[in-house]
Amino acid sequence: MPERSGPAAVLVGPPGAGKSSVATVLGQRTGLAVRDTDFDVERAAGRRISEIFTDLGEAEFRRLEREAVAAALAEHTGILALGGGAVMDPATRELLRAHRVAFLSVTMPNGVRRTGLSAARPLLTGVNPRATFKALLDARLPLYREVATIEVPTDEMSVEQVAQVIIAEWGL
Ligand code: S3P
């Protein structure tokens, strides 16, 4: 059998699902390197995500994100966390078909609670974050499920427990 290439695990899910925290713990438990495409985008643009949205606009952010995800899927062999909206891009969803993708799901109340009203998340800073989050979940749920190899419902789980499910699933 040919060697599997690409990341050992790719994490997708909405903001507040715990992708970054779970990726960090997965890195600690497995010794695998952790990469986060939000950081790759910030490095490429030379500014924070919130500044990319305000200075360059969401379309430019999504273009940078698509490139960052494609590069990371091709190069990275450890744990890869994607930004919450990366799955909206059809080319990204196509690329993800060849990979082990864990969808970390979260319901609206927990997602809103975990994200707070952080200015670092420009899409959730509107007047009604609960409605915004619900609309985001409704629109994206089918897309997360389309790319997911496994779904881990995180509402009642600790970061450590989510990481252990993924380790067990793929023998990491
Ligand atoms: C976004 C999620 C963010 C970041 C950007 C857009 C989204 O990443 O990529 O603010 O569209 O859901 P996190 O999911 O890590 O918060």
Side-chain angles (χ1 to χ4, degrees):
M1 256 206 0
E3 279 284 291
R4 227 188 47 80
S5 66
V10 182
L11 308 183
V12 302
K19 301 179 295 293
S20 303
S21 312
V22 170
T24 300
V25 171
L26 278 172
Q28 290 164 351
R29 298 289 172 266
T30 62
L32 292 165
V34 174
R35 183 159 163 174
D36 185 324
T37 58
D38 279 345
F39 291 118
D40 293 347
V41 170
E42 290 186 333
R43 195 170 356 90
R47 42 194 127 185
R48 310 307 306 260
I49 302 244
S50 54
E51 293 164 347
I52 303 174
F53 271 75
T54 48
D55 298 352
L56 310 175
E58 180 172 353
E60 177 63 6
F61 171 78
R62 296 299 172 200
R63 193 189 66 73
L64 291 167
E65 181 174 54
R66 181 190 317 123
E67 287 184 357
V69 173
L73 288 174
E75 296 162 4
H76 187 62
T77 55
I79 307 298
L80 180 65
L82 303 192
V87 299
M88 292 192 298
D89 187 87
T92 292
R93 292 202 300 281
E94 184 61 32
L95 287 180
L96 286 172
R97 290 160 67 93
H99 295 278
R100 290 169 167 172
V101 181
F103 166 32
L104 309 191
S105 61
V106 64
T107 58
M108 187 270 280
N110 282 306
V112 170
R113 183 175 51 75
R114 291 186 199 164
T115 48
L117 296 175
S118 158
R121 290 192 163 100
L123 287 184
L124 297 177
T125 50
V127 283
N128 189 345
R130 293 172 70 82
T132 307
F133 197 92
K134 171 140 190 343
L136 179 150
L137 274 189
D138 288 348
R140 294 185 186 168
L141 203 52
L143 306 179
Y144 292 129
R145 294 210 162 119
E146 179 186 324
V147 299
T149 320
I150 59 166
E151 177 171 341
V152 188
T154 67
D155 274 341
E156 310 291 333
M157 294 172 82
S158 67
V159 168
E160 184 70 44
Q161 286 171 324
V162 176
Q164 289 305 332
V165 168
I166 293 167
I167 288 171
E169 179 73 25
W170 288 317
L172 303 181

